[in-house]
Amino acid sequence: MMLIAGDEMEKDFESKMRLQNQAASGPSAAAVERSRSFAFRAPQEQFSIQDFELGKIYGVGSYSKVVRAKKKDTGKVYALKIMDKKFITKEKKTSYVKLERIVLDQLDHPGIVRLFFTFQDNYSLYMALESCEGGELFDQITRKGRLSEADARFYAAEVIDALEYIHSVGLIHRDIKPENLLLTSDGHMKIADFGSVKPMKDSQIKLLPTSSNEKACTFVGTAAYVPPEVLNSSPATFGNDLWALGCTIYQMLSGTSPFKDASEWLIFQRIIARDLKFPDYFSDEATDLIDKLLDTDPSKRLGAGPDGYAALKMHPFFQGIDWELLREQPAPKLALDPNATSSSDDQDAPWSLAHVGDGSQSNSGADGSSGGTSSSESSSLSRIASIDSFDSRWRDFLDPGETVVMISMVKKIQKLTNKKVQLILTDKPKLIYVDPSKLILKGNIIWSDNPNDLSIQVTTSSSFKIVTPKKVILFEDAKQRAWQWKKAIEGLQNR
């Protein structure tokens, strides 16, 4: 039967995360008081995934996917975070999920994504979050190459505004990066993804017992934005986020992270050595700001000293910023996705619920296929992985019952031209690439379980080669997923 561990986790969530529904009579006074303390602003509803129309994909995490979801009865649009119970249990991430839910419920700031409600089924946990139609800051950097100093100043100011609030309530985010900085339709910034958040001892956030039992120096975050003290196993401080802010401002202005290298190990060596070079086109103010945020001593970083955020806001780089009316000011113009279709209907184009795999028998074969309900290990693994970017545009390239294991917009590097293609790996297994604007199949890489006939060679964190006896194809993944592609392909070869 599907996932005993998942069922146990569901019971655990029911008992620990629905305290507000406990009866007032019977339990001890302490239990009643605790129940009142956790009367969630965002309730746990009895919804089903079938109550939503699923559209485009917003983002992908280690154990979750975020998809645009329109509630059928109200027409309201959410960013629905879908978390795989099996993976969460297997990887012992339960405490992180609980903590994120509790923290998001209590945070109240215009620069932080809001949690509206949660629900669950046999396979997945769901969080209905505020939808940020402007996408990730990362995408704006990629589309523009690099941001103007005026645009970077505005975005950095809005991040600082939200970070100051987060720190004031005793939380460390620990994963500030362009992928976790989302933009509303009018271009204002919101911090997302609190899966790595760390409450300090004097935090104002109310926590469930054992909500977070990790050690203070546990390594979390993303390699390119991790501060040196974390690599040296020092306890987390507010300075961790300020270091990541410095890396993010550098990336906004240059188009690349300051410590980028071919592997995580090399990135870490550069961080520890503070191997940092500033482009000539950086202004003196920008260079000085980043230099002070990337101080190797977390207590000396701008914003972490005795003058706190006041010193950070007064830096010359932010001259002209009205901190009191920041979110009332017009935001930088968004660069649109050149590969997006012109029809607004594309955002809500539905795709088969079999690709979510909610575990209900009534969903099996609802579209005339086995969908994500196959008993094979591959189908079980790809059930959630298929959400990575499975929208209506790619369904025509799949066979009935076939699901996506991994998908990315990549550059196909050629001698004369570099072309963007959608690279798709399925559980068939099948490896193809598609022209994303014309929606035409451009190539089918012949699959083989024999690594002599099909292999993948990683050259940097963003570049990789797919090698077959007849040709070698070079791809570049802007989101630095080269090693993930290697693991996904070799995983299917070795199953």
Side-chain angles (χ1 to χ4, degrees), residues 311-332:
L312 179 54
K313 291 178 177 180
M314 290 174 60
H315 190 276
F317 179 79
F318 294 110
Q319 184 175 359
I321 290 291
D322 187 337
W323 293 97
E324 296 299 322
L325 300 175
L326 181 61
R327 296 186 182 275
E328 297 177 21
Q329 304 301 310

Side-chain angles (χ1 to χ4, degrees), residues 116-169:
F116 290 100
F117 55 83
T118 66
F119 63 100
Q120 62 181 295
D121 55 39
N122 290 339
Y123 281 93
S124 305
L125 303 168
Y126 303 88
M127 291 185 186
L129 301 162
E130 182 178 2
S131 178
C132 295
E133 299 294 328
E136 300 173 358
L137 174 62
F138 179 90
D139 294 328
Q140 291 300 306
I141 298 171
T142 302
R143 291 168 194 167
K144 294 180 180 180
R146 64 175 190 255
L147 304 187
S148 69
E149 194 158 299
D151 288 0
R153 179 182 298 109
F154 183 88
Y155 289 142
E158 291 207 326
V159 176
I160 288 169
D161 179 54
L163 264 184
E164 182 178 22
Y165 167 78
I166 292 170
H167 290 175
S168 73
V169 298

Side-chain angles (χ1 to χ4, degrees), residues 228-298:
E229 66 270 16
V230 170
L231 298 177
N232 293 324
S233 300
S234 297
T237 69
F238 296 133
N240 296 172
D241 289 340
L242 294 169
W243 174 281
L245 172 65
C247 292
T248 299
I249 296 173
Y250 184 106
Q251 187 165 348
M252 283 194 276
L253 292 170
S254 70
T256 186
S257 56
F259 303 102
K260 183 178 179 180
D261 216 309
S263 69
E264 284 194 356
W265 187 85
L266 289 173
I267 290 172
F268 292 156
Q269 299 312 302
R270 289 192 61 188
I271 291 171
I272 291 171
R274 200 179 183 271
D275 180 7
L276 179 63
K277 298 178 178 65
F278 292 99
D280 293 338
Y281 54 81
F282 275 25
S283 70
D284 291 342
E285 293 79 9
T287 300
D288 185 70
L289 172 67
I290 296 167
D291 187 58
K292 289 178 177 175
L293 286 169
L294 298 183
D295 195 302
T296 54
D297 184 341

Side-chain angles (χ1 to χ4, degrees), residues 43-302:
Q44 183 166 344
E45 302 285 7
Q46 298 300 313
F47 296 146
S48 161
I49 191 63
Q50 294 177 319
D51 295 329
F52 298 84
E53 292 178 5
L54 305 184
K56 67 178 182 179
I57 306 307
Y58 287 141
V60 181
S62 60
Y63 57 83
S64 63
K65 326 295 169 187
V66 183
V67 60
R68 190 177 195 269
K70 180 190 287 186
K71 190 79 163 46
K72 292 178 181 178
D73 59 350
T74 65
K76 291 184 178 179
V77 174
Y78 303 95
L80 191 63
K81 185 169 184 175
I82 306 172
M83 295 165 282
D84 186 347
K85 283 184 175 180
K86 180 180 181 180
F87 185 94
I88 291 169
T89 304
K90 180 180 177 182
E91 299 296 323
K92 299 180 180 178
K93 299 288 186 182
T94 306
S95 62
Y96 289 92
V97 176
K98 291 178 185 174
L99 184 59
E100 181 180 23
R101 192 262 191 264
I102 293 166
V103 165
L104 279 174
D105 190 79
Q106 296 176 62
L107 293 179
D108 187 10
H109 188 276
I112 297 172
V113 293
R114 182 179 173 185
L115 174 66
F116 290 100
F117 55 83
T118 66
F119 63 100
Q120 62 181 295
D121 55 39
N122 290 339
Y123 281 93
S124 305
L125 303 168
Y126 303 88
M127 291 185 186
L129 301 162
E130 182 178 2
S131 178
C132 295
E133 299 294 328
E136 300 173 358
L137 174 62
F138 179 90
D139 294 328
Q140 291 300 306
I141 298 171
T142 302
R143 291 168 194 167
K144 294 180 180 180
R146 64 175 190 255
L147 304 187
S148 69
E149 194 158 299
D151 288 0
R153 179 182 298 109
F154 183 88
Y155 289 142
E158 291 207 326
V159 176
I160 288 169
D161 179 54
L163 264 184
E164 182 178 22
Y165 167 78
I166 292 170
H167 290 175
S168 73
V169 298
L171 296 175
I172 311 170
H173 186 279
R174 296 200 297 178
D175 202 14
I176 295 295
K177 59 181 179 179
E179 291 90 336
N180 288 339
L181 302 175
L182 306 184
L183 299 166
T184 61
S185 58
D186 58 1
H188 286 273
M189 183 77 67
K190 290 182 182 284
I191 297 179
D193 196 345
F194 284 73
S196 300
V197 69
K198 175 69 179 178
M200 302 296 279
K201 288 183 178 180
D202 59 350
S203 173
Q204 298 174 29
I205 299 298
K206 298 175 182 177
L207 301 175
L208 286 170
T210 69
S211 288
S212 179
N213 55 5
E214 63 161 308
K215 296 179 181 178
C217 56
T218 301
F219 178 89
V220 298
T222 304
Y225 310 92
V226 169
E229 66 270 16
V230 170
L231 298 177
N232 293 324
S233 300
S234 297
T237 69
F238 296 133
N240 296 172
D241 289 340
L242 294 169
W243 174 281
L245 172 65
C247 292
T248 299
I249 296 173
Y250 184 106
Q251 187 165 348
M252 283 194 276
L253 292 170
S254 70
T256 186
S257 56
F259 303 102
K260 183 178 179 180
D261 216 309
S263 69
E264 284 194 356
W265 187 85
L266 289 173
I267 290 172
F268 292 156
Q269 299 312 302
R270 289 192 61 188
I271 291 171
I272 291 171
R274 200 179 183 271
D275 180 7
L276 179 63
K277 298 178 178 65
F278 292 99
D280 293 338
Y281 54 81
F282 275 25
S283 70
D284 291 342
E285 293 79 9
T287 300
D288 185 70
L289 172 67
I290 296 167
D291 187 58
K292 289 178 177 175
L293 286 169
L294 298 183
D295 195 302
T296 54
D297 184 341
S299 66
K300 294 181 180 179
R301 287 172 199 152
L302 195 60

